[in-house]
Amino acid sequence: ISSVIRLNNQRRRFVLTIAGKPSSDAIDEEIKQIQKDNPESIVYLGSSFSSGNKDSFERLSTFDLNVFPTRYFHECVPGSVIDNLMAGVPTLSTKFFGYQDMIDETCAFFLENTDPSTIDETLDFIYKNQRSLFEKRALCKEKSSKYSEKVFISFLKENFNF
């Protein structure tokens, strides 16, 4: 959030859409206040945006980038990354445990840390390299095929005699 606000103070280039339920009511209220203070830069959907259905993938596909700068190394399998892959949206992410099994440089940009200056520099780089962003968009859907229902059912049959 702070990176988008900081970069937009120089020149408005980014709109950050925040979706999902925050971990506490206090964080929810904080994000609402930030949005109120920065209406041209921040859109807060909260938990009103549900993923996993056709409409959500169509909505996600209108975004340029999924920003996932987790501080938790053992993030597991982040659904937002898979949802965005399926929608054809590249991810900007830190390297969480097992990330290489989900995403790589063909469909994502990576942060070495969540230091604000690193995030600022990386967002600025992506903005100035739209061709790379566009190329990654094309490869996201291809990469997401390993998360299809057909592949999942095949996995269950092979491994669990389903």
Side-chain angles (χ1 to χ4, degrees), residues 112-132:
E112 293 303 319
N113 59 61
T114 57
D115 178 72
S117 64
T118 301
I119 296 171
D120 292 2
E121 289 168 13
T122 306
L123 284 172
D124 194 50
F125 170 83
I126 294 167
Y127 180 80
K128 291 176 180 173
N129 291 278
Q130 293 289 309
R131 172 174 264 181
S132 177

Side-chain angles (χ1 to χ4, degrees), residues 12-97:
R12 186 170 181 271
R13 300 176 280 182
F14 302 100
V15 175
L16 176 64
T17 301
I18 303 168
K21 183 177 179 181
S23 57
S24 73
D25 290 340
I27 292 173
D28 183 61
E29 291 305 315
E30 181 181 356
I31 295 170
K32 286 177 182 174
Q33 185 60 51
I34 292 169
Q35 178 189 24
K36 186 177 177 183
D37 296 340
N38 301 277
E40 281 126 25
S41 298
I42 309 294
V43 175
Y44 181 45
L45 302 175
S47 58
S48 67
F49 182 81
S50 61
S51 61
N53 61 46
K54 185 180 178 225
D55 293 339
S56 68
F57 296 121
E58 288 175 12
R59 189 171 193 180
L60 285 173
S61 71
T62 66
F63 298 129
D64 293 316
L65 186 67
N66 174 41
V67 180
F68 190 75
T70 184
R71 292 184 175 119
Y72 305 104
F73 180 69
H74 290 287
E75 189 65 49
C76 194
V77 180
S80 68
V81 173
I82 295 172
D83 289 344
N84 280 280
L85 276 174
M86 294 178 88
V89 179
T91 293
L92 169 60
S93 179
T94 48
K95 295 178 178 178
F96 54 88
F97 182 77

